[in-house]
Amino acid sequence: IAGITQAPTSQILAAGRRMTLRCTQDMRHNAMYWYRQDLGLGLRLIHYSNTAGTTGKGEVPDGYSVSRANTDDFPLTLASAVPSQTSVYFCASREGQSDTDTQYFGPGTRLTVL
Amino acid sequence: GQNIDQPTEMTATEGAIVQINCTYQTSGFNGLFWYQQHAGEAPTFLSYNVLDGLEEKGRFSSFLSRSKGYSYLLLKELQMKDSASYLCAVRSENQGGKLIFGQGTELSVKP
């Protein structure tokens, strides 16, 4: 069982370019999340999805969009990247059957926008 | 709103005990999580508290006082591999499974 995979592992991107970060889980979890982690700011929620077909905004959604066409995949898109989006991005998933469910994190994508 | 505070960094000696504190302010508290994150890696789940008291898991224990908005993570018999960042996260009612994370406490274990 792979758990949660993210791609790419790292990326350097020119400002203004479009970029999609991929996240796939094979645990059949209902809920999925995207976070960014910045030094001194901790993990901040960008977008989330409680179940396939639904999405919601987190703390810092501006400049990002997501889709949840099926249970396994939850891609995060930066329509026009800016340097302030340089960060480490983590995808997470949760079974979603009860409030005690734990979130499990993917390995992360390190993104640099120049 | 929600606010979570934990010390930025701590240092402890191998074999010792260390306590990492977390205070929080939230409406509709519905659980507190502790995660461990080694440098360059993903956070991994350590413990979960929703009722007052102590939860013990081997060398790691976590305590919660809901009336005080306070939790701590206790690490016993410290090992060098325990050097990592420890993240406190709070879940609120009516927020689904979303977590709000503190900034993390960077623990350095010295020989």
Side-chain angles (χ1 to χ4, degrees):
Chain A
I1 297 177
I4 303 177
T5 57
Q6 293 184 234
T9 302
S10 64
Q11 181 76 44
I12 299 174
L13 189 67
R17 297 296 296 268
R18 181 184 179 90
M19 175 74 190
T20 295
L21 308 185
R22 299 185 297 279
C23 175
T24 299
Q25 52 101 0
D26 62 3
M27 298 176 282
R28 306 303 293 173
H29 283 176
N30 289 310
M32 297 186 74
Y33 308 85
W34 272 106
Y35 295 88
R36 59 177 291 173
Q37 187 173 38
D38 303 287
L39 195 63
L41 296 175
L43 282 161
R44 293 181 293 167
L45 183 66
I46 305 171
H47 284 288
Y48 67 95
S49 168
N50 286 330
T51 188
T54 69
T55 62
K57 294 182 180 180
E59 301 172 67
V60 288
D62 294 344
Y64 306 95
S65 63
V66 291
S67 61
R68 187 85 184 279
N70 57 61
T71 297
D72 298 345
D73 302 300
F74 191 42
L76 176 74
T77 297
L78 289 67
S80 180
V82 295
S84 62
Q85 291 178 312
T86 293
S87 186
V88 180
Y89 291 85
F90 287 102
C91 178
S93 73
R94 183 176 76 92
E95 186 176 16
Q97 295 301 322
S98 83
D99 286 343
T100 60
D101 289 347
T102 302
Q103 287 190 21
Y104 295 93
F105 285 81
T109 293
R110 184 174 296 276
L111 181 67
T112 302
V113 183
L114 301 175
Chain B
Q2 295 172 309
N3 190 45
I4 300 172
D5 288 314
Q6 45 181 137
T8 304
E9 54 188 23
M10 299 180 71
T11 301
T13 304
E14 191 176 16
I17 299 173
V18 70
Q19 177 175 311
I20 302 174
N21 296 324
C22 172
T23 58
Y24 63 89
Q25 294 175 315
T26 186
S27 55
F29 174 82
N30 196 27
L32 187 143
F33 293 77
W34 283 96
Y35 282 81
Q36 180 190 58
Q37 186 177 24
H38 285 101
E41 298 182 8
T44 56
F45 170 75
L46 284 179
S47 69
Y48 169 73
N49 295 72
V50 67
L51 300 176
D52 290 352
L54 190 68
E55 295 282 340
E56 296 186 78
K57 271 189 183 181
R59 294 190 300 114
F60 291 11
S61 303
S62 57
F63 172 82
L64 175 68
S65 169
R66 289 172 295 172
S67 62
K68 295 182 179 178
Y70 168 69
S71 172
Y72 67 73
L73 181 69
L74 194 70
L75 290 74
K76 304 175 186 175
E77 301 169 13
L78 280 172
Q79 302 175 9
M80 298 299 289
K81 67 178 182 180
D82 296 330
S83 292
S85 184
Y86 291 86
L87 314 178
C88 174
V90 171
R91 174 181 290 166
S92 296
E93 292 176 345
N94 302 319
Q95 293 290 314
K98 290 185 287 182
L99 298 177
I100 301 297
F101 283 84
Q103 294 183 21
T105 298
E106 189 69 36
L107 174 66
S108 297
V109 180
K110 308 290 187 185

